[in-house]
Amino acid sequence: MEFRHLGRSGLMVSEISYGNWLTHGSQVEEDAAKLCVQAALDEGITTFDTADVYAGTKAEEVLGRALKGVRRESLEIFTKVYWPTGKGRNDRGLSRKHITESIHASLRRLQTDYVDLYQAHRFDAETPLEETLKTFDDLVRQGKVLYVGVSEWSAPQIAQALKIADEMGFDRLVSNQPQYSMLWRVIESEIVPLCEREGVGQIVWSPIAQGVLTGKYLPGQAAPEGSRATDQAGGAGMIARFMKDDVLAKVQELKPIAADLGLSMAQLAVAWVLQNPNVSSAIVGASRPEQVRDNVKAAGVKLDAEVLKRIDDVLGSLVERDPAKTVSPPKRP
Ligand SMILES: NC(=O)c1ccc[n+]([C@@H]2O[C@H](COP(=O)([O-])OP(=O)(O)OC[C@H]3O[C@@H](n4cnc5c(N)ncnc54)[C@H](OP(=O)(O)O)[C@@H]3O)[C@@H](O)[C@H]2O)c1
């Protein structure tokens, strides 16, 4: 495993981290979840990402149990707040009330005294940004949260938060968690240049496009049994954006590029996001331990300019680059 600083902070994170969205507490049983976490630890992953909302709060519980007994100082545990965790009108968003209640519940479920990174899972247009940032700052002072970050915020939203933090002396954002992959590059034109200047690192999600960039989904054919695209309870809806024959056909054309480098397709996909120096870590998901073992081998891999051009030539206009695709709900969900 290789390690990078989280943005300009002093915190080191593993270049590849393990996330449990859609898997722990939902798609996979607890035994399989624990095997994936153990495989991640065995392969040198120290950084784990979850959220209060995943699997209706069960994902944090599963991760807490899976990490029990591991030396806390050897781990970086990340979680998030924003999406609804209950039916009440205050069980959502980034108000002082919900953030405070949600961090306490997350710490209980994760069985830890603090999280290393606390992330605003989207921008909340219904709460003054000062209220959110002051609450985050209070949690840092209380030692319940060591660093603060955001997820899927636009460049103007991140810039505004940094300006307020500087004016008010609040703890600064150190990270953003956006979707980023060969197929989804919407952060490159606005968010990455701003974050490079400001020392904010990207912890990127779905670097394998939820499994699509492994090449296991073939155009015109049924998805392999047990894969995310067959998980009607959750995963199938989320991956649908990429499950189109033109995308799947082009992904097949990446296979010779991976083969020439002696990499699996998943390794090529993860290595690709890690070529961007503003990326602090790539969060991979896995439903089976062998996937974790495959994906971690992308750590430290260098792709030269010719390889990057071959990838761009294959994917061409299928690549999404529109910065306007980074959006938070206009009202709380
Ligand atoms: N901040 C946000 O809004 C947000 C949103 C989404 C995700 N995230 C974070 O990012 C993490 C990763 O997202 P993701 O799960 O979509 O990432 P991903 O790594 O792009 O996709 C993971 C899925 O792809 C398949 N896969 C992975 N490696 C494979 C391999 N070597 N061979 C074959 N199939 C493989 C597995 O699904 P199957 O085996 O089921 O096919 C696995 O669950 C999440 O857990 C979460 O922590 C954050």
Side-chain angles (χ1 to χ4, degrees):
M1 184 51 60
E2 304 277 323
F3 296 85
R4 296 184 182 192
H5 280 273
L6 182 58
R8 209 181 280 153
S9 81
L11 181 69
M12 304 294 292
V13 293
S14 49
E15 220 174 53
I16 296 172
S17 40
Y18 178 69
N20 72 356
W21 176 58
L22 297 178
T23 51
H24 296 184
S26 45
Q27 186 192 355
V28 304
E29 299 298 332
E30 181 131 350
D31 287 351
K34 283 185 174 157
L35 288 173
C36 287
V37 169
Q38 192 53 53
L41 292 166
D42 292 346
E43 296 293 337
I45 288 178
T46 58
T47 308
F48 292 83
D49 182 76
T50 186
D52 54 357
V53 69
Y54 291 168
T57 70
K58 287 203 293 287
E60 284 186 331
E61 287 176 16
V62 174
L63 186 64
R65 285 194 289 272
L67 291 173
K68 203 167 167 62
V70 180
R71 185 174 173 262
R72 180 65 184 85
E73 294 82 350
S74 68
L75 300 170
E76 301 84 47
I77 300 177
F78 296 178
T79 194
K80 318 187 190 81
V81 57
Y82 168 83
W83 294 102
T85 49
K87 292 200 171 82
R89 59 181 67 83
N90 278 316
D91 293 336
R92 61 206 66 219
L94 300 175
S95 67
R96 172 174 287 272
K97 178 171 170 65
H98 182 56
I99 291 175
T100 305
E101 289 169 347
S102 196
I103 188 65
H104 287 145
S106 289
L107 295 176
R108 275 196 300 273
R109 289 189 291 263
L110 288 163
Q111 302 186 52
T112 181
D113 301 325
Y114 63 92
V115 291
D116 296 272
L117 179 71
Y118 203 39
Q119 304 159 100
H121 211 157
R122 291 296 182 271
F123 186 84
D124 180 6
E126 295 185 54
T127 302
L129 199 39
E130 289 82 353
E131 176 178 335
T132 298
L133 297 173
K134 175 78 170 76
T135 309
F136 273 9
D137 191 62
D138 288 344
L139 294 179
V140 172
R141 282 161 202 271
Q142 291 164 15
K144 291 176 179 158
V145 161
L146 304 190
Y147 296 90
V148 291
V150 297
S151 173
E152 290 291 335
W153 284 27
S154 67
Q157 289 163 346
I158 294 171
Q160 181 67 12
L162 293 168
K163 184 167 175 281
I164 293 172
D166 289 344
E167 284 170 3
M168 306 294 287
F170 296 156
D171 216 61
R172 285 186 119 228
L173 305 177
V174 295
S175 64
N176 175 45
Q177 187 176 131
Q179 181 176 182
Y180 189 47
S181 70
M182 287 177 200
L183 289 167
W184 194 265
R185 307 188 195 176
V186 305
I187 59 171
E188 287 182 349
S189 60
E190 295 180 2
I191 290 174
V192 167
L194 168 77
C195 289
E196 276 180 333
R197 276 197 309 279
E198 297 286 350
V200 174
Q202 312 297 325
I203 311 156
V204 305
W205 58 268
S206 296
I208 314 173
Q210 303 193 41
V212 166
L213 287 167
T214 65
K216 69 180 175 183
Y217 298 108
L218 301 173
Q221 294 191 28
E225 210 173 311
S227 61
R228 184 174 292 184
T230 64
D231 174 22
Q232 295 306 330
M238 306 307 295
I239 201 176
R241 164 192 292 157
F242 299 118
M243 293 295 288
K244 299 179 183 130
D245 279 355
D246 55 344
V247 176
L248 302 182
K250 283 291 177 193
V251 168
Q252 293 303 309
E253 291 179 35
L254 298 173
K255 281 186 169 167
I257 303 177
D260 286 352
L261 296 164
L263 298 175
S264 72
M265 286 281 279
Q267 289 160 10
L268 180 68
V270 177
W272 186 90
V273 299
L274 290 172
Q275 304 310 298
N276 185 328
N278 189 226
V279 170
S280 299
S281 187
I283 320 172
V284 299
S287 62
R288 290 196 285 279
E290 50 278 19
Q291 293 175 347
V292 182
R293 287 192 277 272
D294 178 13
N295 304 347
V296 290
K297 296 194 182 70
V301 168
K302 298 274 175 291
L303 303 178
D304 64 27
E306 194 199 319
V307 169
L308 298 177
K309 182 169 182 315
R310 279 178 76 190
I311 292 170
D312 289 351
D313 288 348
V314 167
L315 296 178
S317 61
L318 286 178
V319 174
E320 182 58 69
R321 297 177 188 276
D322 181 2
K325 298 270 177 185
T326 296
V327 273
S328 291
K331 287 181 81 67
R332 285 183 199 154

